Amino acid sequence: MIKRFLYSQKVAPYVFVLPFILIFLIFWVYPLGSSLSMSFQKVTLGQDAQWVGFDNYTKLMGDKTFFKAVANSAIYMVLTLVILIPFPMLFAVLINSKLMWAREFFKSSFFFPALTSVVVAGTIFRLMFGEMEGSMINSILGLFGIEPMKFLKGQVTGYIALVALATWRWTGVNMLYFLSGLKNIPDDYYEAASIDGASRFQKFTKITMPLLKPTSIYVLTISIYAGLAMFIESMMLWNGNNSPKNIGLTIVGYLYRQGIEKNNLGYAAAVGIVLLAITMIINLTQLAFSGMFKKED
Amino acid sequence: MKKKWLVTLLVLTMTSLLWGCGAKSSSSSKGETSVLDAGAGESATELSYWTFVELHGQHFEKMLEKWNKANPDRQIKLNVTVMPYDDMHNKLSIAVQTGVGAPDIADIELGKYPDFMKGTPQLEPLDDVVKPYKDTVVQSQLDLYSKDGTVYGLSTHVGASVAFYNTEILKEAGVDYKTIVTWDDFKKAGMQVYEKTGKYMGTADTSATWQESMMLAQQGADFTDEAGNPKVNSEQMIKGLSILKDLKDNNVIATIAGGQPDTEEAYGEFNSGNYATAFMPLWEMSRYTNYMADLSGKIAIAPIPVIEKGMPRSYGGGGTATVVTKTAKDVQLAKEFIAYAKLSLDANIEIWNTLGFDPINMDVWDMKDVTHNPENKFVKYFVNNPFDVLNDIKSEIKLIKSTPASPTINNILCTVTLNEIFEDGKDIKKALDDAQAQIEQELK
């Protein structure tokens, strides 16, 4: 009986996916449900929560700081998409090319930053972009006769530092995704194209790009939510969650400020639900456009 | 159709991960724990203590030794955990909220304190242990950490604000700090300093409200009205900030890296002699001795300039309360110990000796052998004795109220408003009106 159960082709798949389902239910569905209910409550330190209906949401709609945080996260996401997809793809193609020398060296040096802790990297970037004359970036600028800048106090310059940190850290990881994608493209296609007299550029646009599409979609999806979920980078770069004029405040940062720093967990839960809604809408739209929902032939 | 659901589920899973990402950072720093047994025997009760200032642990160590000697049948071992400021308060509030994992004793900084007083405070009332010491300490420091007449936290110091002048720079510019009484005097002196040395007389703080508190205290005003409602766009606030802005426009003061004198970046700036003055509560002294060794023998302490002669020259700034949580192992023992370690005469003398703070038992201020002890590192470091200044301004130390709105007021002013005014040159009235609107919105 047990044997029949274990060997049953109908049951086996369910057994295999069971751990995932359990983890999903306990660690995701349950917290999701409780934050949803919490977003309709007023939660105070050590006291029973009160139901307040849509109060948290209506308050959120009039909250300028929240919209600032949403805008910051969105801009950061777009900037990382613009930089962290084309460039890693290009580097991957270059490294994958037969003409490339010291391939392993470049691969590992690009990947190396991803191994450092964000906390350490953020702190070092904070010091590099410090506003004092002696900080690294300002002394480099000084060589060209440019006055010291207060990088972390301005919106644009602050984002330069933030995006520099992201680029430094994630280029290697995305490059690795593209490299593994490239490995799956058979050489035959390129050979055939060469025989037909295709140029290098044509090969790239007609063979490499389309065949990298699944990888690109994957990288795009994770980059979208990584961009919207960014928090620690900003927290480390500004040495805390409170950047001047909130230039580095992200949605998760605002959630953290309201929920943890100000003990307003109900309001923070509402921020979280809105964040979930935004990411779901963007990602599902993006996946629908790229054809992920189409029936496979 | 099935597949569509699967993909949706997958995306949902991934986006749910966002929350996981957010929570991770709080575990990034666990803090350092050390056990102080201070001669305690086998039967000693172990209590845990969280703080965000390493030096506070040293003070407790000294007091613990005395306590264990005096109370052989009620000895204590103290597990001290030092964590960064934000981390400690965040962890403490979660622990208090959930009722799990809170220490027996903890330090809470004034800026965060109102958060712990919301609704029914989840801390032990301390009235019974405060009683024996009530007449010896400053009443306003007890009131500061009380709710509805019940004391929940024990203050560390008065935090009387003073001016710290770098006499070397002033000498170079031919300025005598003793002649500075009003802001006009300060402006004249500052312009002379900038002209002669190219250095700034002081800082325009963007990440702390010490200077605004000082300006409000001089005019008998506050960040909140009588009822505790925020009022940051008051006439007095505009006037105070206008004076500071005018100083900045004349190159008397300038913004500083770190945003205010009590930050690591600013210690470096002061230590290299780029700014001559800091207007800070007296506890800034310990920052000088610890982080600005090069300035030893050069810093003089004086009353803060005022708008018009005769206005109060100081206010109590900052502060840390030691509290006992509801979940403490031995509540009574913890309460009695912190009262002993913070309020007794011995404790107040040690608070000056170890920490360099102005103790809340003002009798200590007159104990010449304690305050003028030539072996004391603070006495050695500064040009003049701080208590000479303190006793001079003793009756002028005003209090800036701490209300449930205070954390929000601070947050908005320090992240947005002061930066707009001093870095971007935004109109003061407009910036303050915006701040008032945002504060009201957040407190809704």
Side-chain angles (χ1 to χ4, degrees), chain B residues 8 32-33 59 73 77 84 87 89 93-95 135 152-153 175 188 203 213 220 228 252 286 329 352 397 435 437:
Chain B
T8 316
E32 274 175 47
T33 308
H59 170 70
D73 52 330
K77 262 189 204 172
D87 275 348
H89 288 99
S93 83
I94 293 170
D135 299 328
Y152 290 97
V175 170
K188 255 175 241 150
T203 59
S213 307
V252 175
S286 60
K329 265 187 290 279
W352 158 248
I397 305 169

Side-chain angles (χ1 to χ4, degrees), chain A residues 1-291:
Chain A
M1 177 69 194
I2 294 171
K3 207 170 177 185
R4 234 186 76 198
F5 178 75
L6 279 178
Y7 282 86
S8 149
Q9 289 208 349
K10 263 195 183 148
V11 176
Y14 293 100
V15 175
F16 288 132
V17 296
L18 190 66
F20 166 76
I21 297 290
L22 280 181
I23 290 174
F24 180 73
L25 287 178
I26 298 169
F27 292 105
W28 283 319
V29 174
Y30 168 67
L32 191 69
S34 51
S35 19
L36 192 63
S37 75
M38 207 190 254
S39 73
F40 294 105
Q41 290 174 329
K42 185 176 168 63
V43 186
T44 327
L45 214 63
Q47 282 138 62
D48 284 333
Q50 299 163 297
W51 291 95
V52 292
F54 280 92
D55 275 11
N56 286 327
Y57 290 95
T58 43
K59 187 178 158 190
L60 204 56
M61 288 306 115
D63 191 340
K64 273 190 209 151
T65 318
F66 172 67
F67 286 107
K68 171 86 184 153
V70 173
N72 280 345
S73 286
I75 293 168
Y76 176 81
M77 180 196 80
V78 171
L79 286 175
T80 51
L81 291 186
V82 168
I83 292 169
L84 282 176
I85 290 179
F87 288 100
M89 194 194 277
L90 195 71
F91 292 142
V93 171
L94 284 177
I95 283 182
N96 202 40
S97 143
K98 295 216 168 56
L99 303 167
M100 192 70 197
W101 47 275
R103 203 178 290 179
E104 295 305 316
F105 169 75
F106 282 111
K107 224 192 275 180
S108 47
S109 42
F110 267 119
F111 189 72
F112 188 66
L115 300 176
T116 56
S117 124
V118 196
V119 176
V120 176
T123 310
I124 291 174
F125 269 71
R126 178 170 81 240
L127 298 174
M128 274 167 54
F129 284 94
E131 63 185 67
M132 282 159 290
E133 255 172 75
S135 70
M136 191 178 132
I137 303 292
N138 272 335
S139 15
I140 293 173
L141 289 179
L143 293 179
F144 299 98
I146 301 170
E147 288 285 303
M149 290 217 266
K150 293 177 182 173
F151 274 98
L152 299 178
K153 281 188 177 163
Q155 182 78 65
V156 177
T157 47
Y159 261 73
I160 292 176
L162 201 55
V163 172
L165 174 59
T167 310
W168 175 79
R169 214 174 124 74
W170 294 113
T171 303
V173 179
N174 286 359
M175 191 187 78
L176 229 56
Y177 288 134
F178 285 119
L179 267 177
S180 67
L182 285 175
K183 293 271 185 251
N184 286 331
I185 305 177
D187 280 343
D188 311 6
Y189 294 170
Y190 293 104
E191 277 169 31
S194 302
I195 292 167
D196 288 344
S199 71
R200 238 168 234 292
F201 182 71
Q202 278 174 321
K203 277 192 250 175
F204 179 72
T205 51
K206 301 276 154 110
I207 301 173
T208 313
M209 293 255 282
L211 286 172
L212 270 182
K213 196 177 154 196
T215 317
S216 309
I217 290 172
Y218 175 71
V219 173
L220 186 66
T221 312
I222 59 165
S223 298
I224 288 176
Y225 81 70
L228 286 175
M230 190 273 290
F231 166 54
I232 310 176
E233 280 89 342
S234 146
M235 179 146 171
M236 292 323 296
L237 198 59
W238 276 281
N239 199 14
N241 197 17
N242 295 312
S243 47
K245 287 172 278 169
N246 294 320
I247 50 175
L249 184 70
T250 65
I251 306 181
V252 181
Y254 195 58
L255 187 156
Y256 184 79
R257 182 187 289 175
Q258 291 295 343
I260 309 293
E261 295 179 342
K262 291 191 168 172
N263 289 313
N264 202 346
L265 279 171
Y267 193 52
V271 174
I273 296 295
V274 172
L275 170 63
L276 179 71
I278 296 174
T279 32
M280 283 299 285
I281 291 168
I282 296 179
N283 265 336
L284 290 177
T285 325
Q286 179 258 123
L287 290 175
F289 270 112
S290 54

Side-chain angles (χ1 to χ4, degrees), chain B residues 165-172 175 177 276 297-300 383:
Chain B
Y165 289 108
N166 182 329
T167 50
E168 193 182 46
I169 299 175
L170 298 187
K171 212 175 189 180
E172 199 185 325
V175 170
Y177 72 89
K298 295 176 191 166
I299 302 295
V383 172

Side-chain angles (χ1 to χ4, degrees), chain B residues 146-176:
Chain B
S146 300
K147 184 176 181 181
D148 302 329
T150 306
V151 183
Y152 290 97
L154 303 182
S155 170
T156 316
H157 56 65
V158 175
S161 298
V162 292
F164 294 88
Y165 289 108
N166 182 329
T167 50
E168 193 182 46
I169 299 175
L170 298 187
K171 212 175 189 180
E172 199 185 325
V175 170
D176 180 9

Side-chain angles (χ1 to χ4, degrees), chain A residues 24 28 32 47 59 62 65 131-132 150 153 229 242 244-245 256 260 262-263 272 279-280 287 293 296, chain B residues 3-4 7 11 13 15 18-19 90 93 118-120 255 257 269 411 415 419 423-424 438 441-442:
Chain A
F24 180 73
W28 283 319
L32 191 69
Q47 282 138 62
K59 187 178 158 190
T65 318
E131 63 185 67
M132 282 159 290
K150 293 177 182 173
K153 281 188 177 163
N242 295 312
K245 287 172 278 169
Y256 184 79
I260 309 293
K262 291 191 168 172
N263 289 313
T279 32
M280 283 299 285
L287 290 175
F293 292 119
E296 253 167 59
Chain B
K3 179 141 173 130
K4 210 177 262 184
V7 176
V11 176
T13 318
T15 37
L18 301 182
W19 284 321
N90 294 343
S93 83
K118 276 183 197 158
T120 322
T255 54
E269 292 278 2
N411 184 259
T415 53
N419 274 296
E423 295 282 1
D424 306 348
Q438 179 64 25
Q441 156 73 26
E442 284 206 18

Side-chain angles (χ1 to χ4, degrees), chain B residues 201-222:
Chain B
M201 184 68 168
T203 59
D205 297 351
T206 51
S207 67
T209 53
W210 312 120
Q211 295 182 333
E212 288 65 40
S213 307
M214 140 190 121
M215 286 298 187
L216 289 173
Q218 296 187 352
Q219 303 173 74
D222 204 328

Side-chain angles (χ1 to χ4, degrees), chain B residues 4-131:
Chain B
K4 210 177 262 184
W5 270 109
L6 207 69
V7 176
T8 316
L9 201 69
L10 197 73
V11 176
L12 192 71
T13 318
M14 291 196 301
T15 37
S16 307
L17 253 174
L18 301 182
W19 284 321
C21 296
K24 229 181 276 167
S25 78
S26 59
S27 60
S28 60
S29 47
K30 287 212 181 75
E32 274 175 47
T33 308
S34 49
V35 183
L36 307 176
D37 55 8
E42 289 289 309
S43 60
T45 313
E46 234 180 278
L47 295 178
S48 52
Y49 164 58
W50 286 5
T51 183
F52 55 98
V53 187
E54 210 183 339
L55 285 168
H56 291 184
Q58 287 179 22
H59 170 70
F60 270 86
E61 187 169 13
K62 278 193 186 166
M63 293 315 293
L64 191 63
E65 241 167 73
K66 292 185 182 180
W67 169 272
N68 283 343
K69 231 176 246 163
N71 302 283
D73 52 330
R74 305 182 68 199
Q75 292 187 327
I76 297 173
K77 262 189 204 172
L78 204 58
N79 285 325
V80 183
T81 308
V82 183
M83 283 178 267
Y85 178 87
D86 277 326
D87 275 348
M88 197 221 81
H89 288 99
N90 294 343
K91 271 192 189 144
L92 186 65
S93 83
I94 293 170
V96 167
Q97 177 137 29
T98 54
V100 182
D104 303 297
I105 302 170
D107 276 350
I108 303 177
E109 203 266 335
L110 182 60
K112 298 275 185 184
Y113 195 76
D115 284 340
F116 290 86
M117 289 289 110
K118 276 183 197 158
T120 322
Q122 297 301 299
L123 306 169
E124 282 293 329
L126 301 171
D127 288 329
D128 53 329
V129 292
V130 168
K131 218 173 172 194

